[in-house]
Coordinates of all heavy atoms in Angstrom, one line a residue:
M272 N -13.9 -21.6 -12.6 CA -12.7 -21.0 -11.9 C -13.1 -19.9 -11.0 O -13.9 -19.0 -11.4 CB -11.7 -20.6 -12.9 CG -10.4 -21.4 -12.7 SD -9.1 -20.9 -13.9 CE -8.6 -19.4 -13.2
R273 N -12.6 -19.9 -9.8 CA -12.9 -18.8 -8.9 C -12.0 -17.6 -9.2 O -10.8 -17.8 -9.3 CB -12.6 -19.3 -7.5 CG -13.5 -18.7 -6.4 CD -13.5 -19.6 -5.2 NE -12.2 -19.9 -4.7 CZ -11.6 -19.2 -3.7 NH1 -12.2 -18.3 -3.1 NH2 -10.4 -19.5 -3.4
S274 N -12.5 -16.4 -9.2 CA -11.7 -15.3 -9.5 C -11.2 -14.7 -8.2 O -11.9 -14.7 -7.2 CB -12.4 -14.2 -10.3 OG -13.4 -13.7 -9.6
L275 N -9.9 -14.3 -8.2 CA -9.3 -13.7 -7.0 C -9.7 -12.3 -6.8 O -10.0 -11.6 -7.8 CB -7.8 -13.8 -7.1 CG -7.2 -15.2 -7.1 CD1 -5.8 -15.2 -7.7 CD2 -7.2 -15.8 -5.7
P276 N -9.8 -11.8 -5.6 CA -10.1 -10.4 -5.4 C -9.1 -9.5 -6.0 O -7.9 -9.8 -5.9 CB -10.2 -10.3 -3.9 CG -9.5 -11.5 -3.3 CD -9.6 -12.5 -4.3
Q277 N -9.5 -8.5 -6.6 CA -8.6 -7.5 -7.2 C -8.6 -6.2 -6.6 O -9.7 -5.7 -6.1 CB -8.9 -7.4 -8.7 CG -8.6 -8.7 -9.5 CD -8.2 -8.4 -10.9 OE1 -8.8 -7.6 -11.6 NE2 -7.2 -9.1 -11.4
R278 N -7.5 -5.5 -6.6 CA -7.4 -4.2 -6.0 C -6.6 -3.3 -7.0 O -5.8 -3.8 -7.8 CB -6.7 -4.2 -4.7 CG -7.5 -4.9 -3.6 CD -8.7 -4.2 -3.2 NE -9.5 -4.9 -2.1 CZ -10.4 -5.8 -2.3 NH1 -10.7 -6.2 -3.5 NH2 -11.0 -6.4 -1.3
T279 N -6.7 -2.0 -6.9 CA -6.0 -1.1 -7.7 C -4.8 -0.5 -7.1 O -4.9 -0.1 -5.9 CB -7.0 0.1 -8.1 OG1 -8.2 -0.5 -8.7 CG2 -6.3 1.0 -9.2
C280 N -3.7 -0.6 -7.8 CA -2.4 0.0 -7.3 C -2.6 1.5 -7.3 O -3.0 2.1 -8.3 CB -1.3 -0.4 -8.1 SG 0.2 0.5 -7.8
M281 N -2.1 2.2 -6.2 CA -2.1 3.7 -6.2 C -1.1 4.3 -7.1 O -1.2 5.5 -7.5 CB -1.8 4.1 -4.8 CG -2.8 3.8 -3.7 SD -2.3 4.3 -2.1 CE -0.9 3.2 -1.8
G282 N -0.1 3.6 -7.5 CA 0.9 4.1 -8.3 C 0.6 4.1 -9.8 O 0.5 5.1 -10.5
C283 N 0.3 2.9 -10.3 CA 0.1 2.8 -11.8 C -1.4 2.7 -12.1 O -1.8 2.6 -13.3 CB 0.8 1.6 -12.3 SG 0.3 0.0 -11.5
N284 N -2.3 2.6 -11.1 CA -3.7 2.5 -11.3 C -4.2 1.3 -12.0 O -5.2 1.2 -12.6 CB -4.2 3.7 -12.1 CG -4.2 5.0 -11.2 OD1 -4.6 4.9 -10.1 ND2 -3.7 6.1 -11.8
Q285 N -3.4 0.2 -12.0 CA -3.8 -1.0 -12.6 C -4.4 -2.0 -11.6 O -3.9 -2.0 -10.4 CB -2.5 -1.7 -13.3 CG -2.1 -1.0 -14.5 CD -1.0 -1.7 -15.2 OE1 -1.0 -2.9 -15.2 NE2 -0.1 -1.0 -15.8
K286 N -5.3 -2.7 -12.1 CA -6.0 -3.7 -11.2 C -5.1 -5.0 -11.2 O -4.7 -5.5 -12.2 CB -7.4 -4.0 -11.7 CG -8.3 -3.0 -11.2 CD -9.7 -3.6 -11.2 CE -10.6 -2.6 -10.5 NZ -12.0 -2.8 -10.8
K287 N -4.9 -5.5 -10.0 CA -4.1 -6.7 -9.9 C -4.7 -7.6 -8.8 O -5.5 -7.1 -8.0 CB -2.7 -6.4 -9.5 CG -2.0 -5.5 -10.5 CD -0.5 -5.7 -10.4 CE 0.1 -4.9 -11.6 NZ 1.6 -4.9 -11.6
D288 N -4.3 -8.8 -8.8 CA -4.7 -9.7 -7.7 C -4.2 -9.2 -6.4 O -3.1 -8.7 -6.3 CB -4.1 -11.1 -7.9 CG -4.7 -11.9 -9.1 OD1 -5.7 -11.4 -9.6 OD2 -4.2 -12.9 -9.5
K289 N -5.1 -9.2 -5.5 CA -4.8 -8.6 -4.2 C -3.5 -9.2 -3.6 O -2.8 -8.5 -3.0 CB -6.0 -9.0 -3.2 CG -6.1 -8.1 -2.0 CD -7.4 -8.5 -1.3 CE -7.3 -8.1 0.1 NZ -8.4 -8.6 0.9
K290 N -3.3 -10.4 -3.8 CA -2.1 -11.0 -3.2 C -0.8 -10.6 -3.9 O 0.3 -10.8 -3.3 CB -2.2 -12.6 -3.2 CG -2.3 -13.2 -4.5 CD -2.2 -14.8 -4.3 CE -2.5 -15.6 -5.4 NZ -1.9 -15.8 -6.6
E291 N -0.9 -10.0 -5.0 CA 0.3 -9.5 -5.7 C 0.7 -8.1 -5.2 O 1.7 -7.5 -5.5 CB 0.2 -9.4 -7.2 CG 0.1 -10.8 -7.8 CD -0.1 -10.6 -9.3 OE1 0.3 -9.6 -9.9 OE2 -0.8 -11.5 -9.9
L292 N -0.2 -7.5 -4.4 CA 0.0 -6.1 -4.0 C 0.4 -6.0 -2.6 O 0.1 -6.9 -1.8 CB -1.3 -5.3 -4.2 CG -1.8 -5.2 -5.7 CD1 -3.2 -4.8 -5.7 CD2 -0.9 -4.2 -6.5
I293 N 1.0 -4.9 -2.2 CA 1.3 -4.7 -0.8 C 0.2 -3.8 -0.2 O -0.3 -2.8 -0.8 CB 2.6 -3.9 -0.7 CG1 3.8 -4.8 -1.2 CG2 2.9 -3.5 0.8 CD1 5.1 -4.0 -1.4
R294 N -0.3 -4.2 0.9 CA -1.4 -3.5 1.6 C -0.9 -2.6 2.7 O -0.1 -3.0 3.5 CB -2.4 -4.5 2.1 CG -3.7 -3.9 2.7 CD -4.7 -4.9 3.1 NE -5.9 -4.3 3.5 CZ -6.4 -4.5 4.8 NH1 -5.8 -5.3 5.6 NH2 -7.5 -3.9 5.1
I295 N -1.4 -1.4 2.7 CA -1.0 -0.5 3.8 C -2.3 -0.1 4.5 O -3.3 0.2 3.8 CB -0.4 0.8 3.2 CG1 0.9 0.4 2.4 CG2 0.0 1.8 4.3 CD1 0.9 1.0 1.0
V296 N -2.3 -0.2 5.8 CA -3.6 0.0 6.5 C -3.5 1.1 7.5 O -2.5 1.3 8.2 CB -3.8 -1.4 7.3 CG1 -5.0 -1.2 8.3 CG2 -4.1 -2.5 6.3
K297 N -4.6 1.8 7.6 CA -4.7 2.8 8.7 C -5.8 2.2 9.7 O -6.9 2.0 9.3 CB -5.2 4.1 8.1 CG -5.4 5.2 9.2 CD -5.7 6.5 8.7 CE -7.2 6.7 8.5 NZ -7.7 8.1 8.3
N298 N -5.4 2.1 10.9 CA -6.4 1.6 11.9 C -7.2 2.7 12.5 O -7.0 3.9 12.1 CB -5.7 0.7 12.9 CG -4.9 1.5 13.9 OD1 -4.9 2.7 14.0 ND2 -4.1 0.8 14.7
K299 N -8.1 2.4 13.4 CA -9.0 3.4 13.9 C -8.3 4.4 14.8 O -8.8 5.5 15.1 CB -10.2 2.8 14.6 CG -9.9 1.8 15.7 CD -11.3 1.3 16.2 CE -11.2 0.4 17.4 NZ -10.2 -0.7 17.4
N300 N -7.0 4.1 15.2 CA -6.3 5.1 16.0 C -5.4 5.9 15.1 O -4.4 6.6 15.6 CB -5.4 4.4 17.0 CG -6.2 3.6 18.0 OD1 -7.3 4.1 18.4 ND2 -5.8 2.4 18.4
N301 N -5.6 5.9 13.8 CA -4.9 6.7 12.8 C -3.4 6.2 12.7 O -2.5 7.0 12.3 CB -4.9 8.1 13.2 CG -5.7 8.9 12.2 OD1 -6.4 8.4 11.4 ND2 -5.6 10.2 12.3
E302 N -3.1 5.0 13.1 CA -1.8 4.5 12.9 C -1.7 3.7 11.6 O -2.6 3.1 11.2 CB -1.5 3.5 14.1 CG -1.5 4.1 15.4 CD -1.5 3.1 16.5 OE1 -2.3 2.2 16.5 OE2 -0.6 3.2 17.5
I303 N -0.5 3.8 11.0 CA -0.3 3.2 9.7 C 0.6 2.0 9.8 O 1.6 2.0 10.5 CB 0.5 4.2 8.8 CG1 -0.3 5.5 8.7 CG2 0.7 3.6 7.4 CD1 -1.7 5.4 8.0
F304 N 0.2 0.9 9.2 CA 0.9 -0.3 9.2 C 1.1 -0.8 7.8 O 0.2 -0.6 6.9 CB 0.2 -1.4 10.0 CG 0.1 -1.1 11.5 CD1 -1.1 -0.5 11.9 CD2 1.1 -1.3 12.3 CE1 -1.2 -0.2 13.3 CE2 1.0 -0.9 13.7 CZ -0.2 -0.4 14.1
I305 N 2.2 -1.5 7.5 CA 2.3 -2.3 6.3 C 1.8 -3.7 6.6 O 2.3 -4.4 7.5 CB 3.8 -2.3 5.8 CG1 4.2 -0.9 5.5 CG2 3.9 -3.2 4.6 CD1 5.7 -0.7 5.4
D306 N 0.8 -4.1 5.9 CA 0.0 -5.3 6.3 C 0.5 -6.4 5.4 O -0.1 -6.7 4.4 CB -1.5 -5.0 6.1 CG -2.3 -6.2 6.5 OD1 -1.8 -7.1 7.2 OD2 -3.5 -6.2 6.2
K307 N 1.5 -7.1 5.9 CA 2.1 -8.1 5.0 C 1.2 -9.3 4.9 O 1.3 -10.0 3.9 CB 3.5 -8.5 5.6 CG 4.5 -7.4 5.4 CD 5.9 -7.8 6.0 CE 6.8 -6.6 6.0 NZ 7.7 -6.6 7.1
K308 N 0.4 -9.6 5.8 CA -0.5 -10.8 5.7 C -1.9 -10.5 5.2 O -2.7 -11.4 5.0 CB -0.5 -11.5 7.1 CG 0.8 -12.1 7.4 CD 0.8 -13.0 8.6 CE 2.1 -13.8 8.7 NZ 2.4 -14.2 10.1
G309 N -2.2 -9.2 5.1 CA -3.5 -8.8 4.6 C -4.6 -9.1 5.5 O -5.7 -9.3 5.1
K310 N -4.3 -9.1 6.8 CA -5.3 -9.4 7.8 C -5.7 -8.3 8.7 O -6.6 -8.5 9.5 CB -4.9 -10.7 8.6 CG -4.5 -11.9 7.8 CD -5.6 -12.9 7.8 CE -5.2 -14.2 7.1 NZ -6.0 -14.4 5.9
L311 N -5.0 -7.3 8.7 CA -5.2 -6.2 9.7 C -6.5 -5.5 9.4 O -6.9 -5.3 8.3 CB -4.0 -5.2 9.7 CG -2.7 -5.7 10.2 CD1 -1.6 -4.7 10.0 CD2 -2.8 -6.2 11.6
E312 N -7.1 -5.0 10.5 CA -8.4 -4.3 10.3 C -8.1 -2.8 10.1 O -7.1 -2.3 10.6 CB -9.2 -4.4 11.6 CG -10.2 -5.5 11.5 CD -11.1 -5.5 12.8 OE1 -11.7 -4.5 13.1 OE2 -11.0 -6.6 13.4
G313 N -8.9 -2.2 9.3 CA -8.8 -0.8 9.0 C -8.9 -0.5 7.5 O -9.3 -1.3 6.8
R314 N -8.6 0.8 7.2 CA -8.8 1.2 5.9 C -7.5 0.8 5.1 O -6.4 1.2 5.5 CB -9.0 2.7 5.9 CG -9.3 3.3 4.6 CD -10.1 4.6 4.9 NE -10.1 5.5 3.7 CZ -10.4 6.8 3.8 NH1 -10.7 7.3 5.0 NH2 -10.4 7.5 2.7
G315 N -7.7 0.2 4.0 CA -6.5 -0.3 3.2 C -6.2 0.4 2.0 O -7.1 1.0 1.3
A316 N -5.0 0.5 1.6 CA -4.6 1.0 0.3 C -3.6 0.0 -0.3 O -2.9 -0.7 0.5 CB -3.9 2.4 0.5
Y317 N -3.5 0.0 -1.6 CA -2.7 -1.0 -2.2 C -1.7 -0.4 -3.2 O -1.9 0.6 -3.8 CB -3.6 -2.0 -3.0 CG -4.5 -2.7 -2.1 CD1 -5.7 -2.2 -1.7 CD2 -4.1 -4.0 -1.6 CE1 -6.5 -2.8 -0.8 CE2 -5.0 -4.7 -0.7 CZ -6.2 -4.1 -0.3 OH -7.0 -4.7 0.6
I318 N -0.5 -1.1 -3.2 CA 0.5 -0.7 -4.1 C 1.3 -1.9 -4.7 O 1.4 -2.9 -4.0 CB 1.5 0.3 -3.4 CG1 2.6 0.8 -4.4 CG2 2.2 -0.4 -2.2 CD1 3.5 1.8 -3.8
C319 N 1.7 -1.8 -5.9 CA 2.5 -2.9 -6.5 C 3.8 -3.1 -5.8 O 4.3 -2.2 -5.2 CB 2.9 -2.6 -8.0 SG 1.5 -2.5 -9.1
D320 N 4.3 -4.3 -5.9 CA 5.5 -4.6 -5.3 C 6.7 -4.2 -6.2 O 7.5 -4.9 -6.6 CB 5.6 -6.2 -5.1 CG 6.7 -6.6 -4.2 OD1 7.3 -5.8 -3.6 OD2 6.8 -7.8 -4.0
N321 N 6.7 -2.9 -6.5 CA 7.8 -2.4 -7.2 C 8.1 -0.9 -6.9 O 7.2 -0.1 -6.6 CB 7.8 -2.7 -8.7 CG 6.8 -1.8 -9.5 OD1 6.8 -0.5 -9.4 ND2 5.9 -2.4 -10.2
I322 N 9.4 -0.5 -7.1 CA 9.8 0.8 -6.7 C 9.3 1.9 -7.5 O 9.0 3.0 -7.0 CB 11.4 0.8 -6.7 CG1 12.0 0.0 -5.6 CG2 12.0 2.2 -6.6 CD1 11.7 0.5 -4.2
E323 N 9.0 1.7 -8.8 CA 8.5 2.7 -9.6 C 7.1 3.2 -9.1 O 6.8 4.4 -9.0 CB 8.3 2.2 -11.1 CG 9.5 2.0 -11.9 CD 10.3 0.8 -11.5 OE1 9.7 -0.2 -11.0 OE2 11.6 0.8 -11.6
C324 N 6.3 2.2 -8.7 CA 5.0 2.6 -8.2 C 5.1 3.3 -6.8 O 4.4 4.3 -6.6 CB 4.1 1.3 -8.0 SG 3.5 0.7 -9.6
L325 N 6.1 2.8 -6.0 CA 6.3 3.5 -4.7 C 6.7 5.0 -4.9 O 6.2 5.9 -4.3 CB 7.3 2.8 -3.9 CG 7.7 3.4 -2.5 CD1 6.4 3.5 -1.6 CD2 8.8 2.7 -1.9
D326 N 7.7 5.2 -5.8 CA 8.1 6.5 -6.1 C 7.0 7.4 -6.6 O 6.9 8.6 -6.2 CB 9.3 6.5 -7.1 CG 10.6 6.0 -6.5 OD1 10.7 6.1 -5.2 OD2 11.5 5.6 -7.2
K327 N 6.2 6.9 -7.4 CA 5.0 7.6 -7.9 C 4.1 8.0 -6.8 O 3.6 9.2 -6.7 CB 4.3 6.8 -8.9 CG 3.9 7.5 -10.1 CD 3.3 6.5 -11.1 CE 3.2 7.0 -12.5 NZ 2.7 6.0 -13.4
V328 N 3.9 7.1 -5.9 CA 3.0 7.3 -4.8 C 3.5 8.4 -3.8 O 2.8 9.2 -3.3 CB 2.7 6.0 -4.0 CG1 2.1 6.2 -2.6 CG2 1.8 5.1 -4.8
I329 N 4.8 8.3 -3.6 CA 5.5 9.3 -2.8 C 5.4 10.7 -3.4 O 5.0 11.7 -2.7 CB 7.0 9.0 -2.5 CG1 7.0 7.7 -1.7 CG2 7.7 10.1 -1.8 CD1 8.5 7.1 -1.5
K330 N 5.7 10.8 -4.7 CA 5.7 12.0 -5.4 C 4.3 12.7 -5.4 O 4.2 13.9 -5.2 CB 6.1 11.8 -6.8 CG 7.1 12.8 -7.4 CD 7.3 12.5 -8.8 CE 8.7 12.9 -9.3 NZ 8.9 12.3 -10.6
T331 N 3.3 11.9 -5.7 CA 1.9 12.4 -5.8 C 1.2 12.5 -4.5 O 0.1 13.0 -4.4 CB 1.1 11.6 -6.7 OG1 1.0 10.2 -6.2 CG2 1.7 11.5 -8.1
K332 N 1.8 12.0 -3.4 CA 1.2 11.9 -2.1 C -0.1 11.2 -2.1 O -1.1 11.5 -1.4 CB 1.0 13.3 -1.5 CG 2.2 14.1 -1.2 CD 1.9 15.3 -0.3 CE 3.0 16.3 -0.1 NZ 4.3 15.8 0.0
R333 N -0.2 10.2 -3.0 CA -1.4 9.5 -3.2 C -1.9 8.7 -1.9 O -3.0 8.7 -1.6 CB -1.3 8.6 -4.4 CG -2.5 7.8 -4.8 CD -3.3 8.6 -5.7 NE -4.6 7.9 -6.0 CZ -4.9 7.0 -6.9 NH1 -3.9 6.6 -7.7 NH2 -6.0 6.4 -7.0
L334 N -0.9 8.2 -1.3 CA -1.2 7.4 -0.1 C -1.8 8.3 1.0 O -2.8 7.9 1.7 CB 0.1 6.7 0.4 CG 0.0 5.8 1.6 CD1 -1.0 4.7 1.4 CD2 1.4 5.2 2.0
E335 N -1.3 9.5 1.2 CA -1.8 10.4 2.1 C -3.3 10.7 1.8 O -4.1 10.9 2.7 CB -1.0 11.7 2.2 CG 0.5 11.4 2.5 CD 1.2 12.6 3.0 OE1 0.7 13.7 2.9 OE2 2.3 12.4 3.6
K336 N -3.5 10.9 0.5 CA -4.9 11.2 0.1 C -5.8 10.1 0.3 O -6.9 10.2 0.8 CB -4.9 11.7 -1.4 CG -4.3 13.1 -1.6 CD -4.1 13.4 -3.0 CE -3.2 14.6 -3.2 NZ -2.5 14.6 -4.5
V337 N -5.4 8.9 -0.1 CA -6.3 7.7 0.0 C -6.6 7.4 1.5 O -7.7 7.1 1.8 CB -5.6 6.5 -0.7 CG1 -6.4 5.2 -0.4 CG2 -5.6 6.7 -2.2
L338 N -5.6 7.5 2.3 CA -5.8 7.1 3.7 C -6.2 8.4 4.6 O -6.5 8.3 5.7 CB -4.6 6.4 4.3 CG -4.3 5.1 3.7 CD1 -3.1 4.5 4.4 CD2 -5.4 4.1 3.8
D339 N -6.1 9.5 3.9 CA -6.5 10.8 4.5 C -5.8 11.0 5.9 O -6.3 11.3 6.9 CB -8.0 10.7 4.8 CG -8.5 12.1 5.2 OD1 -7.9 13.1 4.8 OD2 -9.6 12.2 5.8
T340 N -4.5 10.9 5.8 CA -3.6 11.1 7.0 C -2.2 11.4 6.5 O -1.8 11.1 5.4 CB -3.7 9.9 8.0 OG1 -3.1 10.3 9.2 CG2 -2.9 8.7 7.4
K341 N -1.4 11.9 7.4 CA 0.0 12.2 7.1 C 0.8 10.9 7.2 O 0.6 10.1 8.1 CB 0.5 13.1 8.2 CG 1.9 13.7 7.8 CD 1.7 15.2 7.4 CE 3.0 15.7 6.9 NZ 3.1 15.5 5.4
I342 N 1.6 10.6 6.2 CA 2.4 9.4 6.2 C 3.9 9.8 6.5 O 4.5 10.7 5.8 CB 2.4 8.8 4.8 CG1 1.0 8.5 4.3 CG2 3.2 7.5 4.8 CD1 0.2 7.5 5.1
S343 N 4.5 9.2 7.5 CA 5.8 9.6 7.9 C 6.8 9.0 6.9 O 6.6 8.0 6.2 CB 6.1 9.1 9.3 OG 6.2 7.7 9.3
Q344 N 8.0 9.6 6.9 CA 9.1 9.1 6.1 C 9.4 7.7 6.4 O 9.8 6.9 5.6 CB 10.3 10.0 6.3 CG 11.4 9.9 5.2 CD 10.8 10.2 3.9 OE1 10.0 11.2 3.7 NE2 11.2 9.5 2.9
E345 N 9.3 7.3 7.7 CA 9.6 6.0 8.2 C 8.7 4.9 7.4 O 9.2 3.8 7.1 CB 9.3 5.8 9.6 CG 10.4 6.3 10.5 CD 9.9 6.2 12.0 OE1 10.0 5.2 12.6 OE2 9.5 7.3 12.5
I346 N 7.5 5.3 7.2 CA 6.6 4.3 6.5 C 7.1 4.1 5.1 O 7.2 3.0 4.6 CB 5.1 4.9 6.5 CG1 4.6 4.9 8.0 CG2 4.2 4.0 5.7 CD1 4.4 3.6 8.7
Y347 N 7.4 5.2 4.5 CA 7.9 5.1 3.1 C 9.2 4.3 3.0 O 9.4 3.5 2.1 CB 8.1 6.5 2.5 CG 6.9 7.2 2.2 CD1 6.7 8.5 2.6 CD2 5.8 6.6 1.4 CE1 5.5 9.2 2.3 CE2 4.7 7.3 1.1 CZ 4.5 8.6 1.6 OH 3.4 9.3 1.3
E348 N 10.0 4.5 4.0 CA 11.3 3.7 4.1 C 11.0 2.3 4.3 O 11.7 1.4 3.7 CB 12.2 4.3 5.2 CG 12.9 5.6 4.8 CD 13.6 5.6 3.4 OE1 14.3 4.7 3.1 OE2 13.3 6.6 2.7
S349 N 10.1 1.9 5.2 CA 9.8 0.5 5.4 C 9.2 -0.1 4.2 O 9.4 -1.3 3.8 CB 8.9 0.2 6.6 OG 8.6 1.3 7.3
L350 N 8.3 0.7 3.5 CA 7.8 0.2 2.2 C 8.9 -0.1 1.2 O 8.9 -1.2 0.6 CB 6.8 1.2 1.6 CG 5.4 1.1 2.1 CD1 4.6 2.3 1.5 CD2 4.7 -0.2 1.6
R351 N 9.8 0.8 1.1 CA 10.9 0.6 0.2 C 11.7 -0.7 0.6 O 12.1 -1.5 -0.2 CB 11.9 1.8 0.3 CG 12.9 1.9 -0.8 CD 13.7 3.1 -0.7 NE 13.0 4.3 -0.9 CZ 12.7 4.9 -2.1 NH1 13.2 4.3 -3.2 NH2 12.0 6.0 -2.3
G352 N 11.8 -0.9 1.9 CA 12.5 -2.1 2.4 C 11.8 -3.4 2.0 O 12.3 -4.3 1.6
V353 N 10.4 -3.3 2.2 CA 9.6 -4.5 1.8 C 9.7 -4.8 0.3 O 9.8 -6.0 -0.1 CB 8.1 -4.2 2.2 CG1 7.2 -5.3 1.6 CG2 8.0 -4.2 3.7
I354 N 9.7 -3.8 -0.5 CA 9.8 -4.0 -1.9 C 11.1 -4.5 -2.4 O 11.2 -5.4 -3.2 CB 9.4 -2.7 -2.7 CG1 7.9 -2.4 -2.5 CG2 9.8 -2.8 -4.1 CD1 7.5 -1.0 -2.9
L355 N 12.2 -3.9 -1.8 CA 13.5 -4.3 -2.2 C 13.9 -5.7 -1.6 O 14.8 -6.3 -2.2 CB 14.5 -3.3 -1.8 CG 14.4 -1.9 -2.5 CD1 15.4 -0.9 -1.9 CD2 14.6 -2.1 -4.0
D356 N 13.3 -6.1 -0.6 CA 13.6 -7.3 0.1 C 12.9 -8.5 -0.6 O 12.0 -9.1 0.0 CB 13.2 -7.2 1.6 CG 13.6 -8.5 2.3 OD1 14.5 -9.2 2.0 OD2 12.8 -8.8 3.3
K357 N 13.4 -8.9 -1.7 CA 12.8 -10.1 -2.3 C 13.8 -10.8 -3.2 O 14.9 -10.4 -3.4 CB 11.5 -9.7 -3.1 CG 11.8 -8.7 -4.2 CD 10.5 -8.3 -4.9 CE 10.7 -7.2 -5.8 NZ 9.6 -6.6 -6.5
Ligands
ZN249 ZN1 1.5 -0.3 -9.6

């Protein structure tokens, strides 16, 4: 059996299959995108598809640390939208 690539969630620090996580990408122009298809180039960060992990990430500013840039409220709001929209 082929094992799927795993990544660590920034919120709960658990390893999960990459496809179960939401990827957030910073490209070389320092722009932040929510990478729904997992294909965008740049530095990636991962979070579980749940609000608890998102709230944790917002509180601890983990995303800003991992991607080493300021994250706007808009990005967090769109992440919340992606998570709730299922
Ligand atoms: Zn998590």
Side-chain angles (χ1 to χ4, degrees):
M272 244 181 74
R273 209 159 56 96
S274 67
L275 292 161
Q277 293 209 316
R278 294 292 182 272
T279 306
C280 166
M281 293 177 290
C283 59
N284 289 316
Q285 288 188 34
K286 277 204 169 159
K287 301 205 171 174
D288 289 349
K289 201 174 158 189
K290 64 173 169 65
E291 289 177 31
L292 298 164
I293 297 169
R294 183 171 185 243
I295 301 127
V296 172
K297 180 177 88 166
N298 72 11
K299 55 183 190 305
N300 300 320
N301 251 12
E302 296 167 310
I303 304 294
F304 296 98
I305 298 164
D306 184 12
K307 289 178 187 147
K308 293 191 169 153
K310 303 258 184 245
L311 294 176
E312 262 182 63
R314 188 156 162 194
Y317 295 85
I318 183 173
C319 295
D320 195 4
N321 76 53
I322 288 293
E323 288 75 27
C324 288
L325 177 63
D326 283 341
K327 224 173 196 176
V328 163
I329 293 173
K330 225 187 210 166
T331 58
K332 296 197 189 323
R333 184 86 190 273
L334 183 57
E335 305 202 342
K336 285 172 196 156
V337 170
L338 295 182
D339 194 24
T340 190
K341 194 107 188 89
I342 307 292
S343 70
Q344 199 57 42
E345 276 174 85
I346 296 292
Y347 290 129
E348 286 309 314
S349 0
L350 271 171
R351 194 178 293 275
V353 168
I354 289 169
L355 293 176
D356 178 31
K357 56 178 173 187

